[in-house]
Amino acid sequence: MAVGSLLAGAILGVAFQDITVAIKESKSRCSNFRDALNSLENTISLLSPLIKEMDRLNQELGDSNKREVIIRLFLRQLKKGEALVSKCSSIRRWNLCKKRKYEKRLRNMDSSLRELSGVLQVGQALDIQRLQRILQDMYH
């Protein structure tokens, strides 16, 4: 395993940890965005082990180019999400305009992470079909 691969895996783990910590801190400071933050936290907790496992397998198989783009998109979204969550914790309860604006941004962030997971599912379906084709060719 290359040093770059280890570094990429560590960066991915740190990004998931950072946004999770930011969400928990924001939820403890204010209740303005509790539902949106809970939804985002659930999405991240579901995706985190899957993305980490995919990254690990890509590194082991030397197949990093296939899914590397998607992993980079996840990293970018996680960094944006962390910044967004941090901003949300500073919004006052009485500021309804900002509250609506940032709640919508949190929901959009959650949706974009879910959409990326959908892209992963399509890629997995293609990989399964390729494997089935290879197995058919081997046994026929």
Side-chain angles (χ1 to χ4, degrees):
M1 200 179 299
V3 174
S5 304
L6 290 172
L7 184 60
I11 291 170
L12 188 61
V14 168
F16 277 116
Q17 183 179 353
D18 287 348
I19 193 167
T20 302
V21 168
I23 289 171
K24 288 180 182 190
E25 286 177 0
S26 186
K27 283 183 354 183
S28 70
R29 282 190 209 148
C30 65
S31 61
N32 289 345
F33 307 100
R34 192 162 310 245
D35 290 339
L37 289 169
N38 282 335
S39 179
L40 184 59
E41 184 177 37
N42 290 338
T43 299
I44 289 169
S45 67
L46 290 171
L47 293 177
S48 175
L50 301 174
I51 299 296
K52 287 178 184 177
E53 179 70 9
M54 182 179 71
D55 186 49
R56 186 187 64 78
L57 289 172
N58 283 344
Q59 292 168 13
E60 284 181 11
L61 297 171
D63 195 21
S64 61
N65 291 336
K66 275 187 172 183
R67 304 280 187 256
E68 189 173 337
V69 173
I70 296 171
I71 292 172
R72 283 186 192 164
L73 287 172
F74 267 107
L75 277 172
R76 193 174 307 135
Q77 286 299 98
L78 290 174
K79 288 177 184 177
K80 285 181 183 177
E82 182 185 357
L84 178 62
V85 169
S86 295
K87 286 180 186 177
C88 289
S89 65
S90 66
I91 295 173
R92 303 285 180 215
R93 184 179 296 264
W94 51 264
N95 196 338
L96 296 178
C97 290
K98 278 192 176 182
K99 183 179 173 187
R100 283 190 204 119
K101 176 179 160 182
Y102 280 94
E103 186 163 2
K104 184 176 180 178
R105 287 183 181 178
L106 284 170
R107 299 230 182 257
N108 288 341
M109 176 62 61
D110 188 40
S111 294
S112 71
L113 289 172
R114 289 176 188 262
E115 287 172 12
L116 284 172
S117 70
V119 170
L120 282 176
Q121 289 174 348
V122 169
Q124 289 170 343
L126 285 171
D127 288 345
I128 290 169
Q129 287 179 334
R130 287 183 190 125
L131 287 172
Q132 287 175 334
R133 181 65 179 177
I134 290 169
L135 290 172
Q136 275 182 343
D137 290 345
M138 286 175 56
Y139 293 110
H140 291 292

